[in-house]
């Protein structure tokens, strides 16, 4: 079953976070999560230690976005970012 309810979105997002950090735009595009920040909040409420680092990204249309959230688990920080 291919579901897109909040529980399924949280499961997809947590699975990805366990592999690598993910930014808001990628979560929307690749994981089909419309509001990644809301899912992160739900995962935090469940006790997952998720951190946010702000980055600058260019989207698929070539537009630059500042302060995009890059989410990562405390056990899997991106290179150059300390917890």
């Amino acid at each position: 079953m291919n579901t897109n309810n909040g529980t399924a979105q949280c499961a997809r997002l947590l699975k990805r976070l366990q592999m690598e950090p993910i930014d808001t735009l990628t979560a929307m595009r690749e994981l089909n999560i419309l509001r990644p920040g809301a899912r992160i909040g739900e995962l935090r409420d469940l006790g997952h230690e998720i951190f946010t680092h702000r980055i600058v990204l260019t989207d698929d249309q070539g537009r630059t976005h500042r302060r995009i959230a890059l989410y990562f688990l405390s056990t899997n920080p991106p290179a150059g970012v300390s917890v």
Side-chain angles (χ1 to χ4, degrees), residues 37-48:
R39 303 295 81 86
I40 290 293
E42 292 170 7
L43 290 170
R44 286 176 175 151
D45 288 345
L46 292 171
H48 296 282

Side-chain angles (χ1 to χ4, degrees), residues 7-33 36 39-40 43 48-51 57 69-78:
T7 302
Q9 290 179 33
C10 283
R12 290 195 303 269
L13 187 53
L14 182 58
K15 183 177 179 180
R16 181 67 171 266
L17 285 168
Q18 290 169 338
M19 294 186 305
E20 62 188 350
I22 188 168
D23 63 78
T24 300
L25 298 179
T26 302
M28 293 172 70
R29 184 180 62 248
E30 293 181 9
L31 301 181
N32 194 28
I33 298 174
R39 303 295 81 86
I40 290 293
L43 290 170
H48 296 282
E49 196 170 13
I50 301 171
F51 293 90
L57 281 181
L70 176 67
Y71 300 109
F72 61 96
L73 293 172
S74 62
T75 56
N76 193 16

Side-chain angles (χ1 to χ4, degrees), residues 58-73:
T58 302
D59 67 20
D60 296 338
Q61 290 78 38
R63 293 180 292 243
T64 300
H65 299 268
R66 301 192 187 299
R67 298 194 42 80
I68 294 292
L70 176 67
Y71 300 109
F72 61 96
L73 293 172

